[in-house]
Amino acid sequence: MAESGGFRVEVVSPERVLFSGDAKQVITRTLDGGEIAFLPGHISFLGALVENHTRIYLSDGKVQDLAVHGGFVEVAPDHVTILSDAAELAEDIDVVRARAAKERAEAAMRGEHDAAVEADLRRAHARLSATGGLAQGAAH
Ligand code: ATP
């Protein structure tokens, strides 16, 4: 059970638990609802996710940033579970690689638009945002 005032948050793939902890807020991005914040006590909710920078505000005051590339979020009053087979903790993200992927995708978009390249760009944006490097990357 989560501490009083908080809820349990887990980010899981079919193979492993990427993150588990007590938190007081989760912000993520759903397909239908855009960016959405969940607080303890939220009514049950199930949503599909798009590539995004997810923020988990932990009960101890820290913030866990993640890049989540789709999947689902399941919410109940005492927990939030993000189920995604493609998600990375901010501290595991290679910023140089993400910046290179963003540049490659942007160059490709100047030619022919295709859905796969758009998805590449959304993943790179989520990674750079999660590591705090999106604004800096965009300025150059
Ligand atoms: P790249 O073009 O750099 O390979 P990508 O978006 O095509 O990036 P994915 O296909 O989304 O990469 O991911 C392949 C694997 O590499 C996944 O396990 C993913 O977590 C990991 N990965 C991709 N980019 C990064 C990154 N910048 N930092 C850490 N892990 C990454």
Side-chain angles (χ1 to χ4, degrees), residues 69 87-88 92-95 97-98 101 104 120 123 127:
H69 311 293
E88 297 118 17
D92 295 335
I93 293 171
D94 177 339
V95 178
R97 177 175 167 183
R104 266 197 317 278
D120 289 347
R123 286 197 305 281
R127 288 175 179 131

Side-chain angles (χ1 to χ4, degrees), residues 97-125 127-128:
R97 177 175 167 183
R99 206 166 279 156
K102 175 175 175 283
E103 278 163 19
R104 266 197 317 278
E106 284 171 346
M109 300 254 295
R110 278 178 222 122
E112 200 179 304
H113 265 240
D114 94 41
V117 173
E118 286 174 12
D120 289 347
L121 188 57
R122 288 197 302 270
R123 286 197 305 281
H125 275 167
R127 288 175 179 131
L128 291 173

